[in-house]
Amino acid sequence: MGIGRIATFLSSLSPGSESAALAASDEVSADSARMTEQSGGARDRRQPQDSNQTGDITQQLQTMIAAVRQLNDNAVQQGAAIAVSSAGAQLKNAVTGLGHLLAAVDAQVLAGAAHTQIKQANDVVDAVEAGIAGTQAATEQLLRQMPAQQAQYAQETSQRFQAEMRQALDRVRGSLAPFQR
């Protein structure tokens, strides 16, 4: 179900394919929303479907975590240019997709089965936060070397990107909160 959409998302991660990544991320988000609707209405029939749903969600989480990890590595390599590169947009979309996926699952059903994935999600969010902080420092250095008008535009772009990433990371942290004990 959602694994095909995530695979599409992962295949769109080549440089210059920002629009494909955006579309795939939207599909992942829509799939997560459908999962939320299904889990809300199927509480009584959940027993036989729990193991299948848990396995599917666990696989989806693992795939999204791997995608965020890879995109974060690519984004860190971009350094100060992340705010204007497709790598930055793809990373933001993947983090948002991970947040949507986590928000769509029932923490009580998934907590035990996906303990490893939840820990990995926490770790990857920490890595993204560290990478964002590192690129912010690189951006500040670069801004000092630019002409004033160009530096102002670059600073505004960077600040907007930083704010959007922090917002996406906060959403993921909020989605991870029910899994924490």
Side-chain angles (χ1 to χ4, degrees), residues 36-131:
T36 302
E37 291 170 6
Q38 290 172 354
S39 67
R43 300 243 186 247
D44 297 335
R45 297 176 272 126
R46 189 176 263 176
Q47 283 304 82
Q49 296 175 1
D50 276 350
S51 62
N52 289 340
Q53 181 183 12
T54 301
D56 287 346
I57 292 171
T58 302
Q59 287 178 325
Q60 291 173 13
L61 280 172
Q62 190 65 42
T63 302
M64 285 302 295
I65 290 166
V68 170
R69 187 173 287 127
Q70 178 182 358
L71 286 168
N72 187 50
D73 291 344
N74 293 343
V76 168
Q77 292 174 6
Q78 294 285 321
I82 189 173
V84 294
S85 72
S86 63
Q90 291 171 347
L91 176 61
K92 183 178 63 167
N93 290 334
V95 169
T96 301
L98 178 60
H100 287 302
L101 184 59
L102 287 166
V105 298
D106 184 348
Q108 293 175 346
V109 171
L110 190 64
H115 176 72
T116 302
Q117 286 77 14
I118 299 303
K119 182 178 178 345
Q120 289 176 351
N122 276 312
D123 293 345
V124 79
V125 169
D126 289 342
V128 171
E129 286 177 335

Side-chain angles (χ1 to χ4, degrees), residues 80 83-84 139-140 143 146 148-164:
V84 294
T139 301
E140 290 172 6
L143 291 175
M146 297 175 123
Q149 187 177 17
Q150 192 178 19
Q152 181 181 357
Y153 174 74
Q155 183 177 18
E156 290 170 0
T157 303
S158 177
Q159 288 174 342
R160 184 173 42 252
F161 174 76
Q162 295 281 335
E164 290 171 353

